[in-house]
Protein backbone atom coordinates (compact mmCIF):
# COMPACT_ATOMS: atom_id res chain seq x y z
CA UNK A 1 0.00 0.00 0.00
CA UNK A 2 1.46 3.42 -0.95
CA UNK A 3 2.67 5.56 1.91
CA UNK A 4 0.45 8.70 1.93
CA UNK A 5 3.31 10.61 3.57
CA UNK A 6 5.79 9.72 0.84
CA UNK A 7 6.75 12.51 -1.57
CA UNK A 8 4.61 12.52 -4.70
CA UNK A 9 6.47 11.64 -7.88
CA UNK A 10 6.90 14.68 -10.11
CA UNK A 11 4.99 14.37 -13.38
CA UNK A 12 7.05 14.08 -16.55
CA UNK A 13 6.35 15.24 -20.09
CA UNK A 14 5.32 11.64 -20.85
CA UNK A 15 2.65 11.82 -18.14
CA UNK A 16 1.46 15.14 -19.56
CA UNK A 17 1.34 13.67 -23.06
CA UNK A 18 -0.82 10.72 -21.90
CA UNK A 19 -3.19 12.99 -19.97
CA UNK A 20 -3.51 15.45 -22.88
CA UNK A 21 -3.74 12.79 -25.59
CA UNK A 22 -0.83 14.25 -27.54
CA UNK A 23 2.72 13.15 -28.30
CA UNK A 24 5.55 13.76 -25.87
CA UNK A 25 7.26 15.69 -28.68
CA UNK A 26 4.33 18.13 -28.64
CA UNK A 27 4.72 18.63 -24.89
CA UNK A 28 8.44 19.19 -25.35
CA UNK A 29 7.79 21.80 -28.04
CA UNK A 30 5.26 23.52 -25.78
CA UNK A 31 7.70 23.66 -22.85
CA UNK A 32 10.35 25.14 -25.14
CA UNK A 33 7.93 27.90 -26.20
CA UNK A 34 7.66 26.75 -29.82
CA UNK A 35 4.66 27.55 -31.97
CA UNK A 36 1.80 25.06 -32.29
CA UNK A 37 -1.96 24.91 -32.65
CA UNK A 38 -3.93 26.76 -29.99
CA UNK A 39 -6.09 23.68 -29.37
CA UNK A 40 -3.00 21.58 -28.63
CA UNK A 41 -1.69 24.22 -26.25
CA UNK A 42 -4.98 24.22 -24.37
CA UNK A 43 -4.91 20.42 -24.00
CA UNK A 44 -1.37 20.51 -22.66
CA UNK A 45 -2.12 23.35 -20.24
CA UNK A 46 -5.16 21.49 -18.92
CA UNK A 47 -3.09 18.32 -18.43
CA UNK A 48 -0.36 20.26 -16.61
CA UNK A 49 -2.97 21.71 -14.28
CA UNK A 50 -4.49 18.28 -13.55
CA UNK A 51 -1.07 16.75 -12.84
CA UNK A 52 0.27 19.81 -11.04
CA UNK A 53 3.20 19.96 -13.44
CA UNK A 54 5.70 22.82 -13.21
CA UNK A 55 8.26 23.13 -16.02
CA UNK A 56 11.91 23.46 -15.04
CA UNK A 57 12.55 27.00 -16.24
CA UNK A 58 16.31 26.79 -15.82
CA UNK A 59 16.45 23.67 -17.97
CA UNK A 60 14.21 25.25 -20.58
CA UNK A 61 16.44 28.31 -20.73
CA UNK A 62 19.50 26.10 -21.29
CA UNK A 63 17.76 24.16 -24.06
CA UNK A 64 16.33 27.16 -25.89
CA UNK A 65 19.10 29.65 -25.14
CA UNK A 66 16.43 32.16 -24.07
CA UNK A 67 15.76 33.72 -20.69
CA UNK A 68 12.51 33.05 -18.87
CA UNK A 69 12.64 36.25 -16.79
CA UNK A 70 10.78 39.49 -17.52
CA UNK A 71 11.72 42.79 -15.90
CA UNK A 72 8.81 44.95 -14.76
CA UNK A 73 8.79 48.59 -13.64
CA UNK A 74 5.89 49.85 -11.57
CA UNK A 75 5.11 52.32 -8.81
CA UNK A 76 3.47 52.43 -5.39
CA UNK A 77 2.55 48.76 -4.90
CA UNK A 78 0.80 49.76 -1.67
CA UNK A 79 -1.97 51.21 -3.84
CA UNK A 80 -4.65 48.81 -5.04
CA UNK A 81 -4.57 49.72 -8.74
CA UNK A 82 -0.86 49.12 -9.38
CA UNK A 83 -0.82 46.07 -7.11
CA UNK A 84 -3.74 44.45 -8.94
CA UNK A 85 -2.18 45.20 -12.33
CA UNK A 86 0.97 43.38 -11.17
CA UNK A 87 -1.12 40.42 -9.94
CA UNK A 88 -2.62 40.03 -13.40
CA UNK A 89 0.77 40.43 -15.06
CA UNK A 90 2.44 37.90 -12.75
CA UNK A 91 -0.28 35.33 -13.38
CA UNK A 92 -0.01 35.76 -17.16
CA UNK A 93 3.79 35.47 -17.07
CA UNK A 94 3.64 32.36 -14.90
CA UNK A 95 1.06 30.75 -17.18
CA UNK A 96 3.40 31.26 -20.14
CA UNK A 97 6.40 29.86 -18.24
CA UNK A 98 8.07 33.15 -17.31
CA UNK A 99 9.00 34.86 -14.05
CA UNK A 100 8.24 38.54 -13.44
CA UNK A 101 10.98 40.50 -11.64
CA UNK A 102 9.30 43.64 -10.27
CA UNK A 103 11.14 46.93 -9.62
CA UNK A 104 9.26 49.82 -7.99
CA UNK A 105 10.37 53.32 -8.95
CA UNK A 106 9.23 56.92 -8.66
CA UNK A 107 7.70 57.42 -12.10
CA UNK A 108 8.37 61.16 -11.87
CA UNK A 109 12.11 60.73 -11.24
CA UNK A 110 13.91 60.27 -14.57
CA UNK A 111 17.24 59.41 -12.94
CA UNK A 112 15.65 56.74 -10.76
CA UNK A 113 13.94 55.23 -13.82
CA UNK A 114 17.21 55.26 -15.76
CA UNK A 115 19.07 53.64 -12.87
CA UNK A 116 16.43 50.91 -12.59
CA UNK A 117 16.79 50.20 -16.31
CA UNK A 118 20.57 50.04 -15.98
CA UNK A 119 20.19 47.45 -13.24
CA UNK A 120 17.63 45.43 -15.19
CA UNK A 121 19.74 45.37 -18.32
CA UNK A 122 22.59 43.77 -16.38
CA UNK A 123 20.48 40.62 -16.11
CA UNK A 124 19.61 38.05 -18.74
CA UNK A 125 16.02 39.08 -19.45
CA UNK A 126 13.57 38.08 -22.13
CA UNK A 127 11.93 41.52 -22.12
CA UNK A 128 10.96 44.56 -20.06
CA UNK A 129 7.51 46.01 -19.37
CA UNK A 130 6.69 49.33 -17.67
CA UNK A 131 3.32 49.67 -15.96
CA UNK A 132 2.89 53.44 -16.12
CA UNK A 133 2.62 55.90 -18.97
CA UNK A 134 4.30 59.09 -17.80
CA UNK A 135 6.19 61.64 -19.84
CA UNK A 136 9.32 60.85 -17.84
CA UNK A 137 9.27 57.13 -18.41
CA UNK A 138 8.63 57.52 -22.13
CA UNK A 139 11.51 59.96 -22.42
CA UNK A 140 13.91 57.63 -20.57
CA UNK A 141 12.82 54.63 -22.63
CA UNK A 142 13.32 56.57 -25.87
CA UNK A 143 16.88 57.42 -24.81
CA UNK A 144 17.79 53.86 -23.77
CA UNK A 145 19.35 51.31 -26.13
CA UNK A 146 17.46 48.09 -25.47
CA UNK A 147 18.65 44.65 -26.54
CA UNK A 148 15.35 42.97 -25.60
CA UNK A 149 11.69 43.67 -26.49
CA UNK A 150 10.08 46.46 -24.47
CA UNK A 151 6.48 47.48 -23.79
CA UNK A 152 5.15 50.56 -21.98
CA UNK A 153 1.82 49.22 -20.80
CA UNK A 154 -0.60 51.95 -19.90
CA UNK A 155 -2.87 54.52 -21.44
CA UNK A 156 -1.80 56.69 -24.32
CA UNK A 157 -3.15 60.21 -24.71
CA UNK A 158 -6.66 60.24 -26.10
CA UNK A 159 -7.00 62.53 -29.15
CA UNK A 160 -8.92 65.72 -28.48
CA UNK A 161 -11.40 64.58 -31.11
CA UNK A 162 -12.47 61.53 -29.09
CA UNK A 163 -15.87 62.11 -27.53
CA UNK A 164 -15.86 61.69 -23.76
CA UNK A 165 -18.60 59.09 -23.92
CA UNK A 166 -16.43 56.88 -26.19
CA UNK A 167 -13.03 57.50 -24.60
CA UNK A 168 -11.16 54.85 -22.62
CA UNK A 169 -12.14 56.76 -19.48
CA UNK A 170 -15.79 57.14 -20.42
CA UNK A 171 -16.79 56.15 -16.89
CA UNK A 172 -16.16 59.77 -15.93
CA UNK A 173 -18.77 60.87 -18.43
CA UNK A 174 -21.22 58.51 -16.73
CA UNK A 175 -20.38 59.97 -13.32
CA UNK A 176 -20.88 63.55 -14.50
CA UNK A 177 -24.20 62.49 -16.04
CA UNK A 178 -25.22 60.85 -12.76
CA UNK A 179 -24.44 64.03 -10.83
CA UNK A 180 -26.23 66.20 -13.40
CA UNK A 181 -29.31 64.01 -13.04
CA UNK A 182 -29.17 64.73 -9.30
CA UNK A 183 -29.34 68.46 -10.04
CA UNK A 184 -25.64 69.32 -9.76
CA UNK A 185 -24.48 72.23 -11.90
CA UNK A 186 -21.25 73.29 -10.13
CA UNK A 187 -18.25 70.95 -10.40
CA UNK A 188 -14.51 70.71 -9.77
CA UNK A 189 -12.11 68.00 -10.87
CA UNK A 190 -9.35 66.59 -8.66
CA UNK A 191 -6.90 65.49 -11.35
CA UNK A 192 -3.84 63.29 -11.22
CA UNK A 193 -0.28 64.48 -12.00
CA UNK A 194 -0.01 66.48 -15.21
CA UNK A 195 2.78 64.27 -16.58
CA UNK A 196 0.60 61.13 -16.53
CA UNK A 197 -1.31 60.21 -19.70
CA UNK A 198 -4.03 58.60 -17.58
CA UNK A 199 -4.51 61.83 -15.64
CA UNK A 200 -4.69 63.88 -18.85
CA UNK A 201 -7.24 61.48 -20.34
CA UNK A 202 -9.44 61.66 -17.25
CA UNK A 203 -9.20 65.44 -17.25
CA UNK A 204 -10.15 65.52 -20.93
CA UNK A 205 -13.12 63.22 -20.28
CA UNK A 206 -14.25 65.44 -17.39
CA UNK A 207 -13.99 68.67 -19.40
CA UNK A 208 -15.77 67.15 -22.39
CA UNK A 209 -18.58 65.85 -20.18
CA UNK A 210 -19.02 69.25 -18.52
CA UNK A 211 -19.02 71.12 -21.84
CA UNK A 212 -21.41 68.70 -23.52
CA UNK A 213 -24.00 69.21 -20.77
CA UNK A 214 -23.56 72.96 -20.39
CA UNK A 215 -22.43 72.61 -16.76
CA UNK A 216 -20.05 74.84 -14.78
CA UNK A 217 -16.55 73.79 -13.77
CA UNK A 218 -15.06 75.83 -10.92
CA UNK A 219 -11.57 74.57 -11.63
CA UNK A 220 -9.00 71.78 -11.78
CA UNK A 221 -6.98 70.71 -8.73
CA UNK A 222 -3.87 68.67 -9.60
CA UNK A 223 -2.99 66.05 -7.01
CA UNK A 224 -0.49 63.19 -7.07
CA UNK A 225 -2.99 60.27 -6.78
CA UNK A 226 -2.65 60.27 -2.97
CA UNK A 227 -5.35 61.00 -0.39
CA UNK A 228 -3.10 63.60 1.27
CA UNK A 229 -2.67 65.61 -1.92
CA UNK A 230 -6.43 65.92 -2.41
CA UNK A 231 -6.99 66.66 1.28
CA UNK A 232 -4.54 69.56 1.12
CA UNK A 233 -5.96 70.89 -2.16
CA UNK A 234 -9.60 70.85 -1.00
CA UNK A 235 -8.63 72.36 2.35
CA UNK A 236 -7.12 75.34 0.50
CA UNK A 237 -10.21 76.10 -1.63
CA UNK A 238 -11.95 79.28 -0.36
CA UNK A 239 -15.51 78.79 0.87
CA UNK A 240 -16.95 80.98 -1.88
CA UNK A 241 -15.26 78.84 -4.57
CA UNK A 242 -16.36 75.43 -3.33
CA UNK A 243 -18.47 73.50 -5.88
CA UNK A 244 -21.32 71.27 -4.86
CA UNK A 245 -19.62 68.22 -6.45
CA UNK A 246 -16.04 66.96 -6.78
CA UNK A 247 -15.14 64.47 -9.52
CA UNK A 248 -11.89 62.81 -8.49
CA UNK A 249 -9.50 61.00 -10.84
CA UNK A 250 -9.06 58.12 -8.40
CA UNK A 251 -10.56 56.75 -5.19
CA UNK A 252 -7.67 57.73 -2.91
CA UNK A 253 -7.97 61.40 -3.81
CA UNK A 254 -11.74 61.17 -3.33
CA UNK A 255 -11.07 59.87 0.19
CA UNK A 256 -8.79 62.82 0.91
CA UNK A 257 -11.40 65.24 -0.42
CA UNK A 258 -14.11 63.79 1.82
CA UNK A 259 -11.91 64.10 4.90
CA UNK A 260 -11.12 67.73 4.06
CA UNK A 261 -14.80 68.54 3.57
CA UNK A 262 -15.69 66.87 6.87
CA UNK A 263 -13.00 68.92 8.65
CA UNK A 264 -14.64 72.06 7.24
CA UNK A 265 -17.97 71.07 8.76
CA UNK A 266 -19.51 70.02 5.44
CA UNK A 267 -21.50 66.85 4.97
CA UNK A 268 -21.09 64.36 2.11
CA UNK A 269 -23.36 64.12 0.19
CA UNK A 270 -25.83 66.53 1.84
CA UNK A 271 -23.64 69.59 1.18
CA UNK A 272 -21.13 68.32 -1.39
CA UNK A 273 -21.11 65.14 -3.49
CA UNK A 274 -17.83 63.32 -4.21
CA UNK A 275 -16.99 60.64 -6.78
CA UNK A 276 -13.87 58.55 -7.38
CA UNK A 277 -12.48 56.28 -10.06
CA UNK A 278 -11.09 52.70 -9.80
CA UNK A 279 -13.50 51.07 -7.30
CA UNK A 280 -10.80 49.85 -4.96
CA UNK A 281 -11.97 47.21 -2.45
CA UNK A 282 -11.99 49.84 0.31
CA UNK A 283 -14.26 52.23 -1.62
CA UNK A 284 -17.42 50.50 -0.41
CA UNK A 285 -16.27 51.03 3.20
CA UNK A 286 -15.44 54.74 3.09
CA UNK A 287 -17.73 56.96 5.19
CA UNK A 288 -19.90 57.46 3.27
CA UNK A 289 -19.43 54.61 0.78
CA UNK A 290 -17.89 56.02 -2.39
CA UNK A 291 -19.60 56.41 -5.77
CA UNK A 292 -16.94 55.48 -8.31
CA UNK A 293 -16.13 53.66 -11.56
CA UNK A 294 -15.02 50.03 -11.60
CA UNK A 295 -11.92 49.33 -13.70
CA UNK A 296 -10.47 45.93 -14.66
CA UNK A 297 -6.88 46.21 -13.42
CA UNK A 298 -6.05 42.50 -13.68
CA UNK A 299 -6.84 42.50 -17.40
CA UNK A 300 -4.57 45.52 -17.85
CA UNK A 301 -1.65 43.59 -16.37
CA UNK A 302 -2.43 40.42 -18.26
CA UNK A 303 -2.80 42.23 -21.60
CA UNK A 304 0.51 44.03 -21.09
CA UNK A 305 2.39 40.77 -20.55
CA UNK A 306 0.58 39.17 -23.47
CA UNK A 307 1.73 42.00 -25.73
CA UNK A 308 5.33 41.66 -24.53
CA UNK A 309 5.32 37.87 -24.96
CA UNK A 310 4.06 38.25 -28.51
CA UNK A 311 7.10 40.43 -29.22
CA UNK A 312 9.40 37.94 -27.52
CA UNK A 313 8.05 34.75 -29.11
CA UNK A 314 6.45 36.05 -32.29
CA UNK A 315 3.29 34.20 -31.28
CA UNK A 316 0.75 34.35 -28.47
CA UNK A 317 2.11 31.91 -25.84
CA UNK A 318 -1.06 32.27 -23.78
CA UNK A 319 -2.98 30.47 -26.52
CA UNK A 320 -6.65 31.29 -26.27
CA UNK A 321 -7.91 34.68 -27.42
CA UNK A 322 -7.68 37.31 -24.67
CA UNK A 323 -10.78 37.91 -22.62
CA UNK A 324 -12.32 41.30 -23.21
CA UNK A 325 -11.72 43.52 -20.16
CA UNK A 326 -14.75 44.52 -18.16
CA UNK A 327 -16.27 47.76 -19.44
CA UNK A 328 -15.72 50.62 -16.96
CA UNK A 329 -19.03 51.17 -15.23
CA UNK A 330 -20.25 53.47 -12.49
CA UNK A 331 -20.93 52.04 -9.05
CA UNK A 332 -23.41 54.31 -7.30
CA UNK A 333 -23.09 54.48 -3.51
CA UNK A 334 -23.72 56.98 -0.73
CA UNK A 335 -21.19 59.76 -1.47
CA UNK A 336 -23.47 61.32 -4.09
CA UNK A 337 -26.90 62.80 -3.57
CA UNK A 338 -29.21 65.58 -4.77
CA UNK A 339 -27.58 68.98 -5.15
CA UNK A 340 -28.34 71.27 -2.16
CA UNK A 341 -30.44 73.63 -4.30
CA UNK A 342 -32.50 70.68 -5.53
CA UNK A 343 -33.65 69.65 -2.03
Amino acid sequence: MPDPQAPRRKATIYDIAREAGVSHQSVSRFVRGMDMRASTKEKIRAAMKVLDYTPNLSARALITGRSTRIGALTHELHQVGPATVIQGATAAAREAGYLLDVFTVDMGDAEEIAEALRMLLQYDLAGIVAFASTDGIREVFEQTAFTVPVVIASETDEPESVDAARAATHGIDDLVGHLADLGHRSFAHIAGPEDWAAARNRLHAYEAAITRRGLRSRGILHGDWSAKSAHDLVTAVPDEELPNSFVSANDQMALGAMHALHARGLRVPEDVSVTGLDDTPEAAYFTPALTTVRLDFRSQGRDAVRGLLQRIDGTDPLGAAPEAPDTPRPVIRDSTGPAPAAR
Side-chain angles (χ1 to χ4, degrees):
M1 181 176 179
D3 181 359
Q5 301 300 318
R8 182 179 176 183
R9 181 179 70 86
K10 181 178 174 62
T12 68
I13 63 172
Y14 297 95
D15 299 321
I16 301 300
R18 281 192 295 270
E19 177 71 25
V22 301
S23 69
H24 72 272
Q25 291 94 338
S26 292
V27 179
S28 178
R29 290 178 66 227
F30 176 87
V31 171
R32 285 181 287 164
M34 298 176 67
D35 192 23
M36 60 177 56
R37 291 181 180 177
S39 59
T40 303
K41 288 182 180 181
E42 291 305 310
K43 290 178 182 178
I44 294 172
R45 280 199 194 90
M48 287 180 170
K49 187 173 182 180
V50 168
L51 297 178
D52 193 25
Y53 176 83
T54 303
N56 186 320
L57 299 183
S58 296
R60 191 184 86 173
L62 287 172
I63 293 170
T64 62
R66 293 190 303 174
S67 173
T68 57
R69 297 172 64 186
I70 294 172
L73 293 179
T74 187
H75 67 109
E76 298 177 345
L77 281 176
H78 64 278
Q79 291 191 8
V80 172
T84 309
V85 168
I86 289 295
Q87 288 174 10
T90 300
R94 184 172 59 246
E95 183 180 335
Y98 287 81
L99 295 175
L100 202 69
D101 293 328
V102 180
F103 279 61
T104 57
V105 295
D106 178 353
M107 291 298 183
D109 188 331
E111 182 52 41
E112 186 173 329
I113 297 168
E115 178 60 26
L117 285 178
R118 284 193 289 269
M119 291 182 64
L120 281 173
L121 291 172
Q122 293 176 20
Y123 297 95
D124 182 21
L125 298 177
I128 296 174
V129 57
F131 290 100
S133 182
T134 66
D135 295 343
I137 203 163
R138 289 189 176 277
E139 181 177 342
V140 173
F141 269 53
E142 289 171 359
Q143 296 173 353
T144 302
F146 291 101
T147 57
V148 295
V150 174
V151 165
I152 298 179
S154 190
E155 293 179 35
T156 56
D157 285 286
E158 294 281 359
E160 291 294 324
S161 59
V162 174
D163 185 88
R166 296 187 292 108
T169 49
H170 73 270
I172 287 183
D173 184 78
D174 294 333
L175 288 179
V176 172
H178 163 66
L179 290 165
D181 289 343
L182 290 171
H184 290 266
R185 296 294 180 270
S186 172
F187 293 75
H189 180 53
I190 306 175
E194 295 181 75
D195 62 338
W196 283 70
R200 292 193 291 263
N201 287 340
R202 294 173 190 193
L203 172 57
H204 167 58
Y206 163 80
E207 291 177 330
I210 292 292
T211 299
R212 186 160 69 88
R213 293 177 174 84
L215 304 172
R216 179 187 180 191
S217 178
R218 284 184 171 267
I220 310 300
L221 309 176
H222 282 282
D224 63 8
W225 301 123
S226 71
K228 182 181 185 306
S229 68
H231 178 277
D232 294 346
L233 288 166
V234 173
T235 298
V237 176
D239 289 342
E240 64 274 14
E241 295 180 16
L242 275 175
N244 55 37
S245 54
F246 280 99
V247 178
S248 175
N250 77 341
D251 289 349
Q252 289 301 112
M253 292 194 295
L255 173 63
M258 288 197 294
H259 276 256
L261 291 168
H262 176 75
R264 296 175 70 147
L266 297 171
R267 300 166 299 166
V268 176
E270 290 83 0
D271 300 313
V272 183
S273 286
V274 178
T275 67
L277 193 79
D278 290 345
D279 193 28
T280 60
E282 297 82 8
Y285 303 98
F286 289 179
T287 303
L290 183 65
T291 292
T292 183
V293 172
R294 182 168 299 162
L295 301 181
D296 189 350
F297 289 114
R298 287 187 68 90
S299 287
Q300 292 176 21
R302 184 176 179 83
D303 289 346
V305 168
R306 181 187 292 271
L308 180 62
L309 293 176
Q310 287 174 334
R311 294 190 181 189
I312 293 169
D313 293 327
T315 62
D316 187 348
L318 296 179
E323 296 180 4
D326 293 338
T327 301
R329 63 182 182 84
V331 181
I332 307 303
R333 298 195 180 102
D334 299 332
S335 67
T336 52
R343 294 182 187 280

